[in-house]
């Protein structure tokens, strides 16, 4: 199944916090939603996790995998790499670094 609908920029993966429920455009926040992580959902596939820079709300959105209009895979991979690096730099590894 090819998904070409998205609510985020296919290049930078950022979005705007405009919905309370998907598609309603009823949220007054309107702040930038920055991509924070990539998760895999067994039924929906890869999801971009966004966090609002205004109110802190987190939400998930499907990646668009259309070969002609899909999300920028280099940006997705960089986001995944950043998340892995952040995870590996947790408290346990930081302590080892200082020994």
């Amino acid at each position: 199944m090819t998904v070409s609908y998205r609510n985020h920029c296919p290049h930078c993966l950022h979005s705007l916090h405009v919905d309370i429920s998907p598609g309603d455009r009823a949220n007054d926040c309107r702040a930038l939603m920055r991509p924070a992580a990539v998760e895999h959902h067994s039924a929906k596939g890869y999801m971009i996790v966004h966090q609002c820079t205004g109110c802190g709300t987190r939400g998930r959105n499907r990646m668009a995998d259309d070969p002609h209009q899909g999300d920028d895979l280099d940006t997705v991979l960089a986001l995944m790499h950043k998340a892995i690096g952040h995870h590996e730099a947790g408290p346990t590894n930081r302590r080892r670094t200082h020994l």
Side-chain angles (χ1 to χ4, degrees):
M1 178 176 160
T2 300
V3 177
S4 62
Y5 168 79
R6 74 176 62 81
N7 71 344
H8 56 270
C9 173
H11 304 291
C12 71
L13 308 179
H14 284 73
S15 184
L16 292 176
H17 195 186
V18 296
D19 293 346
I20 294 173
S21 297
D24 68 7
R25 304 300 188 249
N27 197 315
D28 292 331
C29 181
R30 304 283 193 236
L32 190 64
M33 298 282 284
R34 75 171 175 79
V38 176
E39 296 178 351
H40 187 267
H41 186 279
S42 61
K44 296 180 180 181
Y46 285 97
M47 309 281 288
I48 298 171
V49 180
H50 289 99
Q51 182 160 5
C52 182
T53 59
C55 68
T57 297
R58 290 175 69 96
R60 292 182 194 94
N61 297 288
R62 284 184 189 182
M63 277 184 52
D65 61 2
D66 182 295
H68 302 288
Q69 298 178 8
D71 291 326
D72 184 343
L73 291 181
D74 289 332
T75 305
V76 171
L77 291 173
L79 177 61
M80 293 172 80
H81 181 73
K82 180 180 173 183
I84 290 169
H86 179 70
H87 177 71
E88 289 177 351
T92 303
N93 286 338
R94 270 192 247 129
R95 278 190 234 120
R96 283 189 209 147
T97 303
H98 295 295
L99 292 177

